[in-house]
Amino acid sequence: MKLERRGRERAGLPVGALVGGALAIGGAVTAVWLHLGLPRPVCLLREWTGIPCPTCGTTRLLEALLSGDLLGALAWNPLVFLILTAVAVWAVLSAASFAFRMPTWRVAFSPGERTWARILAIAALVGGWAWVLWRNG
């Protein structure tokens, strides 16, 4: 695995900044939704089978985040919390590199490292789902 510096060869907003904007809009919509007291979304997998899905607890995670309870948010669904944190960091760095005309960086994996990254991603998904089953099941 190596870190590669890339130039500013692309025009337009970087993907990270666009994803960050979508994340911010989603957070704002969630805040308004919860503030208005509208019903929480229903997990269809849990509704139909009684088994929580890998993202179950995300609405309560967002409620905890919006009230400033980081540890509570982490406890509801650690995998979703870590993914949201990583995406937020990526979005901020991407927007900053665009705004200040700085080069970007990317992580380059060899084919063998890509295989291990996929295995770790699957293990994280299984571990995250096991947490949700234990916590919410």
Side-chain angles (χ1 to χ4, degrees):
M1 177 173 70
K2 65 181 180 177
L3 207 55
E4 294 178 344
R5 183 178 175 166
R6 299 183 340 174
R8 296 240 338 131
E9 65 276 356
R10 292 185 181 170
L13 279 175
V15 174
L18 294 172
V19 170
L23 190 66
I25 290 170
V29 167
T30 301
V32 170
W33 184 281
L34 295 172
H35 179 73
L36 294 175
L38 298 172
R40 289 180 178 168
V42 175
C43 174
L44 294 179
L45 181 64
R46 188 171 193 152
E47 188 79 15
W48 293 339
T49 67
I51 300 169
C53 73
T55 62
C56 270
T58 300
T59 302
R60 290 167 289 199
L61 177 149
L62 292 172
E63 287 176 327
L65 276 179
L66 291 170
S67 67
D69 182 11
L70 293 179
L71 290 177
L74 179 64
W76 279 113
N77 194 319
L79 183 61
V80 171
F81 181 86
L82 293 174
I83 290 170
L84 286 175
T85 302
V87 169
V89 169
W90 173 47
V92 168
L93 292 175
S94 187
S97 72
F98 177 76
F100 298 113
R101 302 189 188 282
M102 298 169 24
T104 59
W105 295 84
R106 80 176 212 147
V107 178
F109 293 103
S110 70
E113 291 169 336
R114 253 185 254 125
T115 300
W116 279 106
R118 288 183 185 118
I119 290 169
L120 288 173
I122 292 168
L125 180 62
V126 170
W129 199 1
W131 172 267
V132 169
L133 289 170
W134 177 78
R135 163 91 186 199
N136 303 324

PDB file of all heavy atoms in Angstrom, residues 3-30:
ATOM      1  N   LEU A   3       0.897   5.727  -0.654  1.00  0.00           N
ATOM      2  CA  LEU A   3       0.179   6.980  -0.817  1.00  0.00           C
ATOM      3  C   LEU A   3       0.733   7.671  -2.051  1.00  0.00           C
ATOM      4  O   LEU A   3       1.936   7.880  -2.168  1.00  0.00           O
ATOM      5  CB  LEU A   3       0.402   7.832   0.432  1.00  0.00           C
ATOM      6  CG  LEU A   3      -0.648   8.847   0.805  1.00  0.00           C
ATOM      7  CD1 LEU A   3      -2.011   8.203   0.940  1.00  0.00           C
ATOM      8  CD2 LEU A   3      -0.268   9.510   2.116  1.00  0.00           C
ATOM      9  N   GLU A   4      -0.150   8.021  -2.991  1.00  0.00           N
ATOM     10  CA  GLU A   4       0.268   8.673  -4.223  1.00  0.00           C
ATOM     11  C   GLU A   4      -0.295  10.084  -4.278  1.00  0.00           C
ATOM     12  O   GLU A   4      -1.470  10.302  -4.010  1.00  0.00           O
ATOM     13  CB  GLU A   4      -0.235   7.898  -5.441  1.00  0.00           C
ATOM     14  CG  GLU A   4       0.368   6.536  -5.603  1.00  0.00           C
ATOM     15  CD  GLU A   4      -0.203   5.809  -6.807  1.00  0.00           C
ATOM     16  OE1 GLU A   4      -1.271   6.221  -7.346  1.00  0.00           O
ATOM     17  OE2 GLU A   4       0.408   4.810  -7.212  1.00  0.00           O
ATOM     18  N   ARG A   5       0.557  11.015  -4.648  1.00  0.00           N
ATOM     19  CA  ARG A   5       0.134  12.403  -4.813  1.00  0.00           C
ATOM     20  C   ARG A   5      -0.331  12.589  -6.244  1.00  0.00           C
ATOM     21  O   ARG A   5       0.342  12.176  -7.194  1.00  0.00           O
ATOM     22  CB  ARG A   5       1.312  13.311  -4.499  1.00  0.00           C
ATOM     23  CG  ARG A   5       0.974  14.761  -4.563  1.00  0.00           C
ATOM     24  CD  ARG A   5       2.176  15.575  -4.188  1.00  0.00           C
ATOM     25  NE  ARG A   5       1.855  16.974  -4.364  1.00  0.00           N
ATOM     26  CZ  ARG A   5       2.572  17.950  -3.879  1.00  0.00           C
ATOM     27  NH1 ARG A   5       3.662  17.674  -3.192  1.00  0.00           N
ATOM     28  NH2 ARG A   5       2.224  19.182  -4.080  1.00  0.00           N
ATOM     29  N   ARG A   6      -1.493  13.207  -6.393  1.00  0.00           N
ATOM     30  CA  ARG A   6      -2.032  13.452  -7.729  1.00  0.00           C
ATOM     31  C   ARG A   6      -2.188  14.944  -7.928  1.00  0.00           C
ATOM     32  O   ARG A   6      -2.472  15.683  -7.007  1.00  0.00           O
ATOM     33  CB  ARG A   6      -3.382  12.762  -7.899  1.00  0.00           C
ATOM     34  CG  ARG A   6      -3.266  11.273  -7.733  1.00  0.00           C
ATOM     35  CD  ARG A   6      -4.506  10.488  -7.948  1.00  0.00           C
ATOM     36  NE  ARG A   6      -5.762  11.181  -7.865  1.00  0.00           N
ATOM     37  CZ  ARG A   6      -6.920  10.632  -8.152  1.00  0.00           C
ATOM     38  NH1 ARG A   6      -6.968   9.390  -8.543  1.00  0.00           N
ATOM     39  NH2 ARG A   6      -8.041  11.303  -8.044  1.00  0.00           N
ATOM     40  N   GLY A   7      -2.020  15.366  -9.154  1.00  0.00           N
ATOM     41  CA  GLY A   7      -2.162  16.784  -9.483  1.00  0.00           C
ATOM     42  C   GLY A   7      -3.621  17.191  -9.587  1.00  0.00           C
ATOM     43  O   GLY A   7      -4.529  16.399  -9.372  1.00  0.00           O
ATOM     44  N   ARG A   8      -3.846  18.422  -9.958  1.00  0.00           N
ATOM     45  CA  ARG A   8      -5.200  18.961 -10.097  1.00  0.00           C
ATOM     46  C   ARG A   8      -5.616  18.923 -11.562  1.00  0.00           C
ATOM     47  O   ARG A   8      -5.896  19.955 -12.160  1.00  0.00           O
ATOM     48  CB  ARG A   8      -5.238  20.390  -9.569  1.00  0.00           C
ATOM     49  CG  ARG A   8      -4.953  20.510  -8.127  1.00  0.00           C
ATOM     50  CD  ARG A   8      -6.042  21.119  -7.325  1.00  0.00           C
ATOM     51  NE  ARG A   8      -6.938  21.919  -8.112  1.00  0.00           N
ATOM     52  CZ  ARG A   8      -8.259  21.804  -8.051  1.00  0.00           C
ATOM     53  NH1 ARG A   8      -8.813  20.937  -7.253  1.00  0.00           N
ATOM     54  NH2 ARG A   8      -9.027  22.566  -8.774  1.00  0.00           N
ATOM     55  N   GLU A   9      -5.647  17.739 -12.153  1.00  0.00           N
ATOM     56  CA  GLU A   9      -5.922  17.641 -13.575  1.00  0.00           C
ATOM     57  C   GLU A   9      -7.414  17.680 -13.907  1.00  0.00           C
ATOM     58  O   GLU A   9      -7.792  17.923 -15.035  1.00  0.00           O
ATOM     59  CB  GLU A   9      -5.308  16.360 -14.163  1.00  0.00           C
ATOM     60  CG  GLU A   9      -5.892  15.066 -13.641  1.00  0.00           C
ATOM     61  CD  GLU A   9      -5.291  14.586 -12.348  1.00  0.00           C
ATOM     62  OE1 GLU A   9      -4.345  15.197 -11.851  1.00  0.00           O
ATOM     63  OE2 GLU A   9      -5.782  13.580 -11.818  1.00  0.00           O
ATOM     64  N   ARG A  10      -8.278  17.490 -12.943  1.00  0.00           N
ATOM     65  CA  ARG A  10      -9.718  17.457 -13.221  1.00  0.00           C
ATOM     66  C   ARG A  10     -10.365  18.809 -12.954  1.00  0.00           C
ATOM     67  O   ARG A  10     -10.000  19.502 -12.027  1.00  0.00           O
ATOM     68  CB  ARG A  10     -10.399  16.413 -12.356  1.00  0.00           C
ATOM     69  CG  ARG A  10      -9.999  15.011 -12.712  1.00  0.00           C
ATOM     70  CD  ARG A  10     -10.804  14.051 -11.906  1.00  0.00           C
ATOM     71  NE  ARG A  10     -10.392  12.694 -12.233  1.00  0.00           N
ATOM     72  CZ  ARG A  10     -10.773  11.647 -11.575  1.00  0.00           C
ATOM     73  NH1 ARG A  10     -11.561  11.772 -10.539  1.00  0.00           N
ATOM     74  NH2 ARG A  10     -10.371  10.458 -11.914  1.00  0.00           N
ATOM     75  N   ALA A  11     -11.350  19.125 -13.758  1.00  0.00           N
ATOM     76  CA  ALA A  11     -12.127  20.344 -13.530  1.00  0.00           C
ATOM     77  C   ALA A  11     -13.402  19.971 -12.788  1.00  0.00           C
ATOM     78  O   ALA A  11     -13.854  18.844 -12.827  1.00  0.00           O
ATOM     79  CB  ALA A  11     -12.474  20.989 -14.870  1.00  0.00           C
ATOM     80  N   GLY A  12     -13.988  20.923 -12.114  1.00  0.00           N
ATOM     81  CA  GLY A  12     -15.230  20.678 -11.395  1.00  0.00           C
ATOM     82  C   GLY A  12     -14.984  20.211  -9.972  1.00  0.00           C
ATOM     83  O   GLY A  12     -13.847  19.996  -9.551  1.00  0.00           O
ATOM     84  N   LEU A  13     -16.075  20.081  -9.250  1.00  0.00           N
ATOM     85  CA  LEU A  13     -15.980  19.660  -7.854  1.00  0.00           C
ATOM     86  C   LEU A  13     -15.524  18.215  -7.748  1.00  0.00           C
ATOM     87  O   LEU A  13     -15.974  17.360  -8.514  1.00  0.00           O
ATOM     88  CB  LEU A  13     -17.340  19.797  -7.172  1.00  0.00           C
ATOM     89  CG  LEU A  13     -17.729  21.178  -6.692  1.00  0.00           C
ATOM     90  CD1 LEU A  13     -19.151  21.164  -6.156  1.00  0.00           C
ATOM     91  CD2 LEU A  13     -16.783  21.664  -5.627  1.00  0.00           C
ATOM     92  N   PRO A  14     -14.658  17.913  -6.774  1.00  0.00           N
ATOM     93  CA  PRO A  14     -14.254  16.525  -6.572  1.00  0.00           C
ATOM     94  C   PRO A  14     -15.399  15.708  -5.983  1.00  0.00           C
ATOM     95  O   PRO A  14     -16.290  16.239  -5.316  1.00  0.00           O
ATOM     96  CB  PRO A  14     -13.079  16.621  -5.602  1.00  0.00           C
ATOM     97  CG  PRO A  14     -13.062  18.003  -5.088  1.00  0.00           C
ATOM     98  CD  PRO A  14     -13.935  18.843  -5.936  1.00  0.00           C
ATOM     99  N   VAL A  15     -15.356  14.414  -6.239  1.00  0.00           N
ATOM    100  CA  VAL A  15     -16.412  13.513  -5.777  1.00  0.00           C
ATOM    101  C   VAL A  15     -16.577  13.588  -4.263  1.00  0.00           C
ATOM    102  O   VAL A  15     -17.700  13.599  -3.751  1.00  0.00           O
ATOM    103  CB  VAL A  15     -16.104  12.059  -6.221  1.00  0.00           C
ATOM    104  CG1 VAL A  15     -17.101  11.088  -5.629  1.00  0.00           C
ATOM    105  CG2 VAL A  15     -16.097  11.966  -7.729  1.00  0.00           C
ATOM    106  N   GLY A  16     -15.482  13.662  -3.522  1.00  0.00           N
ATOM    107  CA  GLY A  16     -15.562  13.724  -2.066  1.00  0.00           C
ATOM    108  C   GLY A  16     -16.359  14.912  -1.574  1.00  0.00           C
ATOM    109  O   GLY A  16     -17.154  14.809  -0.640  1.00  0.00           O
ATOM    110  N   ALA A  17     -16.172  16.058  -2.217  1.00  0.00           N
ATOM    111  CA  ALA A  17     -16.926  17.255  -1.822  1.00  0.00           C
ATOM    112  C   ALA A  17     -18.403  17.091  -2.142  1.00  0.00           C
ATOM    113  O   ALA A  17     -19.268  17.507  -1.361  1.00  0.00           O
ATOM    114  CB  ALA A  17     -16.360  18.484  -2.527  1.00  0.00           C
ATOM    115  N   LEU A  18     -18.728  16.477  -3.273  1.00  0.00           N
ATOM    116  CA  LEU A  18     -20.125  16.240  -3.634  1.00  0.00           C
ATOM    117  C   LEU A  18     -20.777  15.259  -2.662  1.00  0.00           C
ATOM    118  O   LEU A  18     -21.916  15.471  -2.220  1.00  0.00           O
ATOM    119  CB  LEU A  18     -20.214  15.714  -5.066  1.00  0.00           C
ATOM    120  CG  LEU A  18     -19.780  16.690  -6.156  1.00  0.00           C
ATOM    121  CD1 LEU A  18     -19.728  15.989  -7.508  1.00  0.00           C
ATOM    122  CD2 LEU A  18     -20.703  17.885  -6.195  1.00  0.00           C
ATOM    123  N   VAL A  19     -20.058  14.199  -2.317  1.00  0.00           N
ATOM    124  CA  VAL A  19     -20.579  13.225  -1.349  1.00  0.00           C
ATOM    125  C   VAL A  19     -20.772  13.902   0.010  1.00  0.00           C
ATOM    126  O   VAL A  19     -21.768  13.666   0.695  1.00  0.00           O
ATOM    127  CB  VAL A  19     -19.640  12.001  -1.246  1.00  0.00           C
ATOM    128  CG1 VAL A  19     -20.023  11.099  -0.083  1.00  0.00           C
ATOM    129  CG2 VAL A  19     -19.658  11.219  -2.548  1.00  0.00           C
ATOM    130  N   GLY A  20     -19.835  14.762   0.388  1.00  0.00           N
ATOM    131  CA  GLY A  20     -19.969  15.500   1.642  1.00  0.00           C
ATOM    132  C   GLY A  20     -21.175  16.414   1.637  1.00  0.00           C
ATOM    133  O   GLY A  20     -21.878  16.531   2.648  1.00  0.00           O
ATOM    134  N   GLY A  21     -21.445  17.061   0.513  1.00  0.00           N
ATOM    135  CA  GLY A  21     -22.637  17.896   0.401  1.00  0.00           C
ATOM    136  C   GLY A  21     -23.908  17.074   0.552  1.00  0.00           C
ATOM    137  O   GLY A  21     -24.846  17.471   1.249  1.00  0.00           O
ATOM    138  N   ALA A  22     -23.932  15.900  -0.076  1.00  0.00           N
ATOM    139  CA  ALA A  22     -25.089  15.008   0.055  1.00  0.00           C
ATOM    140  C   ALA A  22     -25.245  14.541   1.501  1.00  0.00           C
ATOM    141  O   ALA A  22     -26.367  14.463   2.020  1.00  0.00           O
ATOM    142  CB  ALA A  22     -24.939  13.815  -0.877  1.00  0.00           C
ATOM    143  N   LEU A  23     -24.125  14.263   2.155  1.00  0.00           N
ATOM    144  CA  LEU A  23     -24.153  13.856   3.567  1.00  0.00           C
ATOM    145  C   LEU A  23     -24.698  14.984   4.435  1.00  0.00           C
ATOM    146  O   LEU A  23     -25.526  14.751   5.326  1.00  0.00           O
ATOM    147  CB  LEU A  23     -22.745  13.463   4.012  1.00  0.00           C
ATOM    148  CG  LEU A  23     -22.588  12.802   5.364  1.00  0.00           C
ATOM    149  CD1 LEU A  23     -23.255  11.437   5.374  1.00  0.00           C
ATOM    150  CD2 LEU A  23     -21.108  12.656   5.690  1.00  0.00           C
ATOM    151  N   ALA A  24     -24.285  16.215   4.171  1.00  0.00           N
ATOM    152  CA  ALA A  24     -24.766  17.361   4.942  1.00  0.00           C
ATOM    153  C   ALA A  24     -26.264  17.578   4.710  1.00  0.00           C
ATOM    154  O   ALA A  24     -27.008  17.850   5.662  1.00  0.00           O
ATOM    155  CB  ALA A  24     -23.981  18.613   4.557  1.00  0.00           C
ATOM    156  N   ILE A  25     -26.710  17.449   3.471  1.00  0.00           N
ATOM    157  CA  ILE A  25     -28.139  17.597   3.174  1.00  0.00           C
ATOM    158  C   ILE A  25     -28.930  16.493   3.870  1.00  0.00           C
ATOM    159  O   ILE A  25     -29.986  16.750   4.472  1.00  0.00           O
ATOM    160  CB  ILE A  25     -28.386  17.595   1.653  1.00  0.00           C
ATOM    161  CG1 ILE A  25     -27.830  18.884   1.039  1.00  0.00           C
ATOM    162  CG2 ILE A  25     -29.877  17.434   1.336  1.00  0.00           C
ATOM    163  CD1 ILE A  25     -27.791  18.880  -0.475  1.00  0.00           C
ATOM    164  N   GLY A  26     -28.415  15.269   3.823  1.00  0.00           N
ATOM    165  CA  GLY A  26     -29.080  14.158   4.510  1.00  0.00           C
ATOM    166  C   GLY A  26     -29.166  14.392   6.009  1.00  0.00           C
ATOM    167  O   GLY A  26     -30.189  14.104   6.641  1.00  0.00           O
ATOM    168  N   GLY A  27     -28.096  14.920   6.598  1.00  0.00           N
ATOM    169  CA  GLY A  27     -28.114  15.238   8.029  1.00  0.00           C
ATOM    170  C   GLY A  27     -29.126  16.317   8.360  1.00  0.00           C
ATOM    171  O   GLY A  27     -29.835  16.237   9.374  1.00  0.00           O
ATOM    172  N   ALA A  28     -29.220  17.327   7.499  1.00  0.00           N
ATOM    173  CA  ALA A  28     -30.188  18.409   7.723  1.00  0.00           C
ATOM    174  C   ALA A  28     -31.620  17.893   7.603  1.00  0.00           C
ATOM    175  O   ALA A  28     -32.479  18.235   8.430  1.00  0.00           O
ATOM    176  CB  ALA A  28     -29.944  19.542   6.734  1.00  0.00           C
ATOM    177  N   VAL A  29     -31.884  17.065   6.603  1.00  0.00           N
ATOM    178  CA  VAL A  29     -33.223  16.492   6.436  1.00  0.00           C
ATOM    179  C   VAL A  29     -33.568  15.624   7.648  1.00  0.00           C
ATOM    180  O   VAL A  29     -34.686  15.684   8.170  1.00  0.00           O
ATOM    181  CB  VAL A  29     -33.316  15.686   5.116  1.00  0.00           C
ATOM    182  CG1 VAL A  29     -34.573  14.839   5.070  1.00  0.00           C
ATOM    183  CG2 VAL A  29     -33.248  16.614   3.928  1.00  0.00           C
ATOM    184  N   THR A  30     -32.609  14.836   8.111  1.00  0.00           N
ATOM    185  CA  THR A  30     -32.834  13.997   9.298  1.00  0.00           C
ATOM    186  C   THR A  30     -33.136  14.848  10.518  1.00  0.00           C
ATOM    187  O   THR A  30     -34.057  14.535  11.286  1.00  0.00           O
ATOM    188  CB  THR A  30     -31.601  13.107   9.559  1.00  0.00           C
ATOM    189  OG1 THR A  30     -31.370  12.287   8.412  1.00  0.00           O
ATOM    190  CG2 THR A  30     -31.804  12.232  10.782  1.00  0.00           C
TER     191      THR A  30
END
